[in-house]
Amino acid sequence: MARTMTEAERWLERHRDDGPFFLYVDTWDPHEPWDAPDYYTEQYRKGYDGRQVYPAYGDWREAGLTEDDVGLAHATYCGEVTMVDFWIGRFLGKLDALNLTDDTIVVFTSDHGFYFGEHGYFGKAEWVHEPEAVVSENSNLPAWLSESWLLTVQWSPLYNEISRIPLIARGPGLTPGRRQAMTTAPDIAPTILDLTGLGSPMTMKGESFGGVLTGQKDEHRPFVVSSWPLYMAEGEITTAVDSTPRKVASYMPFTVTTRDRSAILGGPNDQPELYDLRTDPKETNNVWRSRPGEGESLCEDAIGFLEGQGTPEEHLTPRREALDGWRNPVEMTG
Protein backbone atom coordinates (compact mmCIF):
# COMPACT_ATOMS: atom_id res chain seq x y z
CA MET A 1 0.00 0.00 0.00
CA ALA A 2 2.69 2.47 1.01
CA ARG A 3 4.75 1.71 -2.09
CA THR A 4 1.74 2.05 -4.40
CA MET A 5 0.68 5.42 -3.05
CA THR A 6 4.25 6.71 -2.94
CA GLU A 7 4.69 5.83 -6.61
CA ALA A 8 1.38 7.57 -7.38
CA GLU A 9 2.64 10.70 -5.62
CA ARG A 10 5.86 10.59 -7.61
CA TRP A 11 3.87 10.23 -10.83
CA LEU A 12 1.97 13.40 -9.95
CA GLU A 13 5.21 15.23 -9.29
CA ARG A 14 6.57 14.23 -12.70
CA HIS A 15 3.43 15.09 -14.68
CA ARG A 16 1.88 18.04 -12.82
CA ASP A 17 2.91 20.47 -15.58
CA ASP A 18 2.08 18.22 -18.54
CA GLY A 19 -1.53 19.32 -18.89
CA PRO A 20 -4.69 17.21 -18.39
CA PHE A 21 -4.01 13.75 -16.99
CA PHE A 22 -5.82 10.58 -15.98
CA LEU A 23 -4.35 8.50 -13.17
CA TYR A 24 -5.83 5.17 -12.04
CA VAL A 25 -4.48 3.87 -8.74
CA ASP A 26 -5.29 0.33 -7.54
CA THR A 27 -4.19 -0.21 -3.95
CA TRP A 28 -5.39 -3.88 -3.82
CA ASP A 29 -5.83 -3.38 -0.07
CA PRO A 30 -7.86 -3.86 2.01
CA HIS A 31 -7.57 -7.39 0.66
CA GLU A 32 -6.76 -10.58 2.51
CA PRO A 33 -4.39 -11.47 4.00
CA TRP A 34 -5.04 -8.51 6.30
CA ASP A 35 -1.50 -7.85 7.41
CA ALA A 36 -1.27 -4.12 8.06
CA PRO A 37 1.26 -3.08 10.74
CA ASP A 38 0.02 -4.19 14.15
CA TYR A 39 -0.53 -0.66 15.42
CA TYR A 40 -3.44 -0.25 12.99
CA THR A 41 -5.20 -3.40 14.22
CA GLU A 42 -4.54 -2.50 17.87
CA GLN A 43 -7.02 0.35 17.41
CA TYR A 44 -9.75 -2.29 17.05
CA ARG A 45 -8.44 -5.12 19.26
CA LYS A 46 -6.58 -4.26 22.41
CA GLY A 47 -3.57 -6.46 23.07
CA TYR A 48 -3.48 -7.67 19.46
CA ASP A 49 -0.79 -10.36 19.22
CA GLY A 50 -0.24 -10.39 15.46
CA ARG A 51 -2.35 -13.49 14.75
CA GLN A 52 -4.21 -13.62 11.43
CA VAL A 53 -7.24 -15.61 10.33
CA TYR A 54 -7.75 -16.33 6.63
CA PRO A 55 -11.35 -16.32 5.32
CA ALA A 56 -13.16 -19.64 5.25
CA TYR A 57 -14.88 -18.77 1.96
CA GLY A 58 -18.05 -20.43 3.12
CA ASP A 59 -19.88 -21.16 6.38
CA TRP A 60 -17.48 -20.17 9.15
CA ARG A 61 -19.01 -22.61 11.64
CA GLU A 62 -18.63 -25.56 9.26
CA ALA A 63 -15.01 -24.50 8.78
CA GLY A 64 -14.45 -24.92 12.53
CA LEU A 65 -14.00 -21.23 13.29
CA THR A 66 -15.34 -19.44 16.36
CA GLU A 67 -17.04 -16.08 16.72
CA ASP A 68 -13.78 -14.78 18.18
CA ASP A 69 -11.90 -15.97 15.09
CA VAL A 70 -14.25 -14.02 12.84
CA GLY A 71 -14.04 -11.04 15.21
CA LEU A 72 -10.25 -11.15 15.07
CA ALA A 73 -10.35 -11.26 11.27
CA HIS A 74 -12.69 -8.28 11.23
CA ALA A 75 -10.33 -6.35 13.48
CA THR A 76 -7.39 -7.02 11.16
CA TYR A 77 -9.58 -5.98 8.23
CA CYS A 78 -10.52 -2.75 9.98
CA GLY A 79 -6.85 -2.14 10.69
CA GLU A 80 -6.07 -2.49 7.00
CA VAL A 81 -8.96 -0.20 6.06
CA THR A 82 -7.51 2.40 8.43
CA MET A 83 -4.10 1.98 6.79
CA VAL A 84 -5.70 2.56 3.37
CA ASP A 85 -7.47 5.63 4.74
CA PHE A 86 -4.16 7.04 5.97
CA TRP A 87 -2.38 6.60 2.64
CA ILE A 88 -5.32 7.87 0.57
CA GLY A 89 -5.29 10.93 2.81
CA ARG A 90 -1.59 11.38 2.15
CA PHE A 91 -2.19 11.13 -1.59
CA LEU A 92 -4.92 13.78 -1.41
CA GLY A 93 -2.50 15.91 0.58
CA LYS A 94 -0.05 15.64 -2.32
CA LEU A 95 -2.72 17.01 -4.65
CA ASP A 96 -3.01 19.97 -2.28
CA ALA A 97 0.76 20.47 -2.14
CA LEU A 98 1.03 20.44 -5.94
CA ASN A 99 -1.87 22.91 -6.33
CA LEU A 100 -3.87 20.35 -8.28
CA THR A 101 -6.88 19.95 -5.98
CA ASP A 102 -9.03 22.76 -7.36
CA ASP A 103 -9.10 21.38 -10.90
CA THR A 104 -8.84 17.63 -10.33
CA ILE A 105 -11.73 15.16 -10.17
CA VAL A 106 -11.16 12.39 -7.64
CA VAL A 107 -13.31 9.23 -7.56
CA PHE A 108 -12.85 6.62 -4.83
CA THR A 109 -14.60 3.25 -4.95
CA SER A 110 -14.14 -0.50 -4.58
CA ASP A 111 -15.19 -3.63 -6.47
CA HIS A 112 -17.08 -5.50 -3.74
CA GLY A 113 -17.63 -5.86 -0.02
CA PHE A 114 -17.00 -8.81 2.30
CA TYR A 115 -18.94 -11.11 4.63
CA PHE A 116 -17.81 -11.33 8.23
CA GLY A 117 -20.42 -13.76 9.50
CA GLU A 118 -23.45 -12.20 7.80
CA HIS A 119 -25.75 -14.85 6.29
CA GLY A 120 -23.38 -17.44 7.75
CA TYR A 121 -20.58 -16.56 5.32
CA PHE A 122 -16.97 -15.56 5.96
CA GLY A 123 -15.54 -14.42 2.64
CA LYS A 124 -16.75 -12.87 -0.59
CA ALA A 125 -17.88 -16.19 -2.09
CA GLU A 126 -18.46 -19.83 -1.21
CA TRP A 127 -15.52 -21.90 -2.40
CA VAL A 128 -15.06 -25.58 -1.57
CA HIS A 129 -11.74 -27.35 -2.00
CA GLU A 130 -12.46 -30.37 -4.19
CA PRO A 131 -9.26 -31.79 -5.72
CA GLU A 132 -11.12 -34.80 -7.20
CA ALA A 133 -13.75 -32.68 -8.95
CA VAL A 134 -14.63 -33.38 -12.56
CA VAL A 135 -15.95 -30.94 -15.14
CA SER A 136 -18.72 -31.23 -17.66
CA GLU A 137 -18.04 -32.58 -21.13
CA ASN A 138 -16.73 -30.05 -23.67
CA SER A 139 -15.88 -27.46 -21.00
CA ASN A 140 -13.15 -25.00 -21.91
CA LEU A 141 -10.25 -26.01 -19.66
CA PRO A 142 -7.05 -24.04 -19.04
CA ALA A 143 -4.00 -25.84 -20.47
CA TRP A 144 -2.36 -25.84 -17.04
CA LEU A 145 -5.35 -27.27 -15.14
CA SER A 146 -3.60 -30.55 -14.33
CA GLU A 147 -0.80 -28.65 -12.61
CA SER A 148 -3.09 -26.88 -10.18
CA TRP A 149 -5.73 -27.68 -7.60
CA LEU A 150 -9.42 -27.26 -8.23
CA LEU A 151 -12.01 -25.44 -6.15
CA THR A 152 -15.77 -25.51 -6.58
CA VAL A 153 -17.65 -22.21 -6.54
CA GLN A 154 -20.95 -22.72 -4.75
CA TRP A 155 -24.13 -20.58 -4.61
CA SER A 156 -22.40 -17.32 -3.53
CA PRO A 157 -25.32 -14.83 -3.43
CA LEU A 158 -24.56 -11.11 -3.58
CA TYR A 159 -26.26 -9.60 -0.55
CA ASN A 160 -25.87 -5.95 0.44
CA GLU A 161 -22.64 -6.65 2.31
CA ILE A 162 -21.07 -7.52 -1.04
CA SER A 163 -22.87 -5.29 -3.53
CA ARG A 164 -23.33 -2.01 -1.60
CA ILE A 165 -19.86 -0.46 -1.88
CA PRO A 166 -18.35 2.98 -1.19
CA LEU A 167 -18.41 5.62 -3.92
CA ILE A 168 -16.95 9.02 -3.09
CA ALA A 169 -16.37 11.77 -5.65
CA ARG A 170 -15.13 15.31 -5.46
CA GLY A 171 -14.23 17.87 -8.08
CA PRO A 172 -14.61 21.45 -9.30
CA GLY A 173 -18.16 22.72 -8.91
CA LEU A 174 -19.35 19.77 -6.85
CA THR A 175 -21.04 20.67 -3.57
CA PRO A 176 -20.16 18.36 -0.66
CA GLY A 177 -22.99 16.19 0.63
CA ARG A 178 -24.66 12.81 0.38
CA ARG A 179 -26.55 11.66 -2.69
CA GLN A 180 -29.22 8.95 -2.51
CA ALA A 181 -29.33 8.10 -6.22
CA MET A 182 -28.45 4.55 -7.28
CA THR A 183 -25.60 3.88 -9.69
CA THR A 184 -23.23 1.12 -10.75
CA ALA A 185 -19.61 0.66 -11.77
CA PRO A 186 -20.09 1.00 -15.57
CA ASP A 187 -21.42 4.53 -14.94
CA ILE A 188 -18.12 5.82 -13.52
CA ALA A 189 -16.19 6.24 -16.78
CA PRO A 190 -19.04 8.09 -18.57
CA THR A 191 -19.39 10.33 -15.51
CA ILE A 192 -15.72 11.30 -15.56
CA LEU A 193 -15.92 12.03 -19.28
CA ASP A 194 -19.07 14.07 -18.71
CA LEU A 195 -17.57 16.17 -15.91
CA THR A 196 -14.50 16.89 -18.03
CA GLY A 197 -16.59 17.96 -21.00
CA LEU A 198 -15.77 14.95 -23.14
CA GLY A 199 -18.29 12.74 -24.89
CA SER A 200 -18.67 9.05 -24.10
CA PRO A 201 -17.84 6.53 -26.85
CA MET A 202 -20.87 4.75 -28.29
CA THR A 203 -19.44 1.44 -27.07
CA MET A 204 -19.82 2.45 -23.41
CA LYS A 205 -22.87 0.90 -21.75
CA GLY A 206 -22.86 3.07 -18.64
CA GLU A 207 -24.63 6.40 -18.14
CA SER A 208 -23.20 9.51 -16.53
CA PHE A 209 -24.47 10.43 -13.05
CA GLY A 210 -22.80 13.83 -13.35
CA GLY A 211 -26.16 15.54 -12.99
CA VAL A 212 -26.59 13.92 -9.57
CA LEU A 213 -23.15 15.11 -8.44
CA THR A 214 -23.83 18.68 -9.58
CA GLY A 215 -27.23 18.72 -7.89
CA GLN A 216 -29.23 18.98 -11.11
CA LYS A 217 -30.82 15.54 -10.60
CA ASP A 218 -31.98 13.59 -7.57
CA GLU A 219 -32.27 10.16 -9.18
CA HIS A 220 -30.22 8.19 -11.67
CA ARG A 221 -31.25 4.53 -12.03
CA PRO A 222 -34.50 2.85 -10.89
CA PHE A 223 -32.52 -0.31 -10.07
CA VAL A 224 -29.04 -1.78 -10.39
CA VAL A 225 -27.93 -5.31 -11.20
CA SER A 226 -25.02 -6.90 -9.36
CA SER A 227 -23.78 -10.12 -10.85
CA TRP A 228 -21.14 -12.72 -11.23
CA PRO A 229 -20.31 -13.34 -14.91
CA LEU A 230 -23.56 -14.75 -16.29
CA TYR A 231 -21.72 -17.43 -18.28
CA MET A 232 -20.76 -19.12 -15.00
CA ALA A 233 -23.01 -22.18 -15.08
CA GLU A 234 -22.86 -25.69 -13.64
CA GLY A 235 -19.77 -27.60 -14.71
CA GLU A 236 -18.02 -24.61 -16.26
CA ILE A 237 -14.52 -23.50 -15.25
CA THR A 238 -13.63 -19.99 -14.17
CA THR A 239 -10.19 -18.59 -13.50
CA ALA A 240 -11.44 -15.24 -12.22
CA VAL A 241 -9.49 -13.19 -9.68
CA ASP A 242 -6.26 -15.15 -9.19
CA SER A 243 -6.00 -17.55 -12.16
CA THR A 244 -6.79 -20.55 -9.95
CA PRO A 245 -9.24 -22.79 -11.87
CA ARG A 246 -12.57 -23.26 -10.12
CA LYS A 247 -15.49 -25.40 -11.17
CA VAL A 248 -18.87 -23.69 -10.94
CA ALA A 249 -21.50 -25.70 -9.06
CA SER A 250 -24.61 -23.90 -10.32
CA TYR A 251 -25.82 -20.85 -12.18
CA MET A 252 -24.31 -17.97 -10.25
CA PRO A 253 -27.10 -15.74 -8.93
CA PHE A 254 -27.50 -12.09 -9.77
CA THR A 255 -29.00 -9.47 -7.47
CA VAL A 256 -31.29 -6.66 -8.56
CA THR A 257 -31.65 -3.81 -6.07
CA THR A 258 -34.00 -0.85 -5.80
CA ARG A 259 -34.22 1.68 -3.02
CA ASP A 260 -36.69 -0.55 -1.15
CA ARG A 261 -36.20 -4.09 -2.47
CA SER A 262 -33.57 -6.62 -3.40
CA ALA A 263 -34.12 -9.84 -5.34
CA ILE A 264 -31.73 -12.71 -6.01
CA LEU A 265 -32.20 -14.98 -9.01
CA GLY A 266 -30.18 -18.02 -10.02
CA GLY A 267 -30.90 -20.86 -12.44
CA PRO A 268 -33.87 -23.19 -13.03
CA ASN A 269 -33.27 -25.28 -9.89
CA ASP A 270 -32.61 -22.39 -7.51
CA GLN A 271 -35.18 -20.80 -5.25
CA PRO A 272 -35.30 -17.04 -5.84
CA GLU A 273 -35.19 -14.57 -2.95
CA LEU A 274 -36.87 -11.23 -2.26
CA TYR A 275 -36.18 -8.85 0.62
CA ASP A 276 -37.95 -5.73 1.86
CA LEU A 277 -35.03 -3.42 2.62
CA ARG A 278 -37.20 -0.95 4.52
CA THR A 279 -38.10 -3.45 7.24
CA ASP A 280 -35.32 -6.00 6.70
CA PRO A 281 -32.11 -4.14 5.71
CA LYS A 282 -29.94 -7.15 6.65
CA GLU A 283 -31.86 -9.38 4.20
CA THR A 284 -32.73 -12.18 6.58
CA ASN A 285 -36.41 -12.78 5.73
CA ASN A 286 -37.13 -14.06 2.21
CA VAL A 287 -40.61 -12.74 1.29
CA TRP A 288 -40.78 -14.05 -2.27
CA ARG A 289 -43.68 -16.40 -1.45
CA SER A 290 -45.66 -13.83 0.51
CA ARG A 291 -45.34 -11.09 -2.14
CA PRO A 292 -46.74 -12.81 -5.28
CA GLY A 293 -45.56 -11.22 -8.50
CA GLU A 294 -43.35 -8.62 -6.85
CA GLY A 295 -40.09 -10.51 -7.15
CA GLU A 296 -40.95 -11.79 -10.62
CA SER A 297 -41.60 -8.26 -11.86
CA LEU A 298 -38.33 -6.97 -10.46
CA CYS A 299 -36.35 -9.84 -11.98
CA GLU A 300 -38.10 -9.46 -15.32
CA ASP A 301 -37.04 -5.80 -15.37
CA ALA A 302 -33.49 -6.86 -14.63
CA ILE A 303 -33.48 -9.50 -17.39
CA GLY A 304 -34.88 -6.93 -19.82
CA PHE A 305 -32.10 -4.53 -18.84
CA LEU A 306 -29.43 -7.19 -19.35
CA GLU A 307 -30.94 -8.06 -22.72
CA GLY A 308 -30.78 -4.39 -23.70
CA GLN A 309 -27.10 -4.34 -22.75
CA GLY A 310 -26.39 -7.06 -25.28
CA THR A 311 -26.21 -10.07 -22.97
CA PRO A 312 -26.32 -13.28 -25.07
CA GLU A 313 -29.66 -15.04 -24.82
CA GLU A 314 -27.95 -18.29 -23.83
CA HIS A 315 -27.03 -16.66 -20.52
CA LEU A 316 -30.52 -15.21 -19.97
CA THR A 317 -32.56 -18.31 -20.84
CA PRO A 318 -31.77 -20.11 -17.55
CA ARG A 319 -32.96 -17.02 -15.64
CA ARG A 320 -36.19 -16.91 -17.58
CA GLU A 321 -36.65 -20.62 -16.90
CA ALA A 322 -36.10 -20.00 -13.19
CA LEU A 323 -38.94 -17.47 -13.14
CA ASP A 324 -41.23 -19.68 -15.21
CA GLY A 325 -40.48 -22.63 -12.95
CA TRP A 326 -41.28 -20.63 -9.84
CA ARG A 327 -44.66 -19.72 -11.30
CA ASN A 328 -45.24 -23.47 -11.71
CA PRO A 329 -43.60 -25.12 -8.64
CA VAL A 330 -44.74 -28.63 -9.60
CA GLU A 331 -42.90 -28.43 -12.90
CA MET A 332 -39.90 -26.83 -11.22
CA THR A 333 -39.45 -29.61 -8.67
CA GLY A 334 -40.10 -32.38 -11.14
Side-chain angles (χ1 to χ4, degrees):
M1 178 70 195
R3 181 180 299 177
T4 299
M5 300 311 296
T6 299
E7 287 300 318
E9 290 180 33
R10 290 173 178 168
W11 190 95
L12 287 175
E13 292 172 350
R14 293 195 303 270
H15 297 282
R16 63 180 296 263
D17 297 321
D18 293 349
F21 65 86
F22 177 83
L23 176 61
Y24 175 84
V25 183
D26 185 351
T27 68
W28 185 252
D29 291 326
H31 195 286
E32 67 273 18
W34 302 297
D35 53 1
D38 290 357
Y39 50 81
Y40 286 111
T41 300
E42 287 170 357
Q43 300 179 40
Y44 303 95
R45 193 174 181 96
K46 293 183 179 180
Y48 175 60
D49 59 5
R51 187 167 67 95
Q52 298 176 20
V53 177
Y54 201 78
Y57 282 97
D59 188 302
W60 57 273
R61 293 181 179 86
E62 291 181 1
L65 298 176
T66 66
E67 287 189 19
D68 187 66
D69 290 328
V70 178
L72 171 61
H74 189 253
T76 58
Y77 169 80
C78 290
E80 195 150 292
V81 168
T82 301
M83 178 186 70
V84 171
D85 183 64
F86 171 83
W87 284 99
I88 293 293
R90 208 180 101 153
F91 177 76
L92 295 177
K94 177 62 72 170
L95 287 174
D96 292 339
L98 297 176
N99 297 315
L100 293 172
T101 298
D102 291 342
D103 58 358
T104 299
I105 298 167
V106 178
V107 178
F108 177 88
T109 191
S110 181
D111 53 350
H112 59 76
F114 210 84
Y115 297 122
F116 284 95
E118 299 90 351
H119 313 284
Y121 292 115
F122 178 23
K124 60 190 173 189
E126 188 177 11
W127 295 343
V128 178
H129 186 199
E130 190 181 4
E132 303 302 323
V134 295
V135 297
S136 59
E137 186 177 358
N138 298 323
S139 289
N140 184 19
L141 302 179
W144 37 268
L145 175 63
S146 60
E147 302 175 4
S148 184
W149 64 331
L150 189 65
L151 295 170
T152 295
V153 182
Q154 303 283 29
W155 174 236
S156 300
L158 303 178
Y159 294 108
N160 266 331
E161 290 83 4
I162 295 291
S163 62
R164 190 178 293 270
I165 59 175
L167 175 60
I168 305 171
R170 79 175 194 188
L174 304 185
T175 303
R178 279 182 170 272
R179 309 290 193 269
Q180 297 298 320
M182 300 187 69
T183 186
T184 185
D187 293 339
I188 295 175
T191 301
I192 294 173
L193 293 172
D194 181 20
L195 294 177
T196 54
L198 301 173
S200 297
M202 294 296 293
T203 53
M204 281 191 173
K205 298 295 186 180
E207 299 177 4
S208 170
F209 54 85
V212 173
L213 295 178
T214 59
Q216 297 172 303
K217 295 171 55 181
D218 293 327
E219 299 294 341
H220 180 55
R221 290 187 179 276
F223 62 83
V224 294
V225 178
S226 305
S227 177
W228 290 84
L230 292 178
Y231 62 79
M232 291 174 67
E234 183 177 2
E236 293 300 315
I237 292 290
T238 177
T239 55
V241 182
D242 56 7
S243 297
T244 298
R246 297 181 174 92
K247 188 184 75 169
V248 182
S250 62
Y251 289 97
M252 300 302 286
F254 71 69
T255 301
V256 52
T257 308
T258 69
R259 189 74 59 80
D260 301 326
R261 302 284 188 274
S262 69
I264 297 176
L265 183 68
N269 297 319
D270 303 315
Q271 179 177 334
E273 302 173 31
L274 176 68
Y275 299 96
D276 186 335
L277 299 179
R278 294 172 302 180
T279 60
D280 182 27
K282 294 186 177 181
E283 298 168 298
T284 60
N285 180 30
N286 182 5
V287 296
W288 187 284
R289 287 179 179 274
S290 60
R291 305 280 183 90
E294 190 171 317
E296 288 95 329
S297 177
L298 188 55
C299 290
E300 285 171 350
D301 288 344
I303 291 173
F305 168 78
L306 292 171
E307 184 177 28
Q309 297 297 299
T311 304
E313 180 59 35
E314 64 184 288
H315 303 322
L316 297 179
T317 296
R319 320 295 170 159
R320 302 186 200 277
E321 291 176 353
L323 287 179
D324 290 341
W326 186 252
R327 295 188 182 99
N328 186 352
V330 174
E331 179 181 321
M332 183 176 184
T333 58

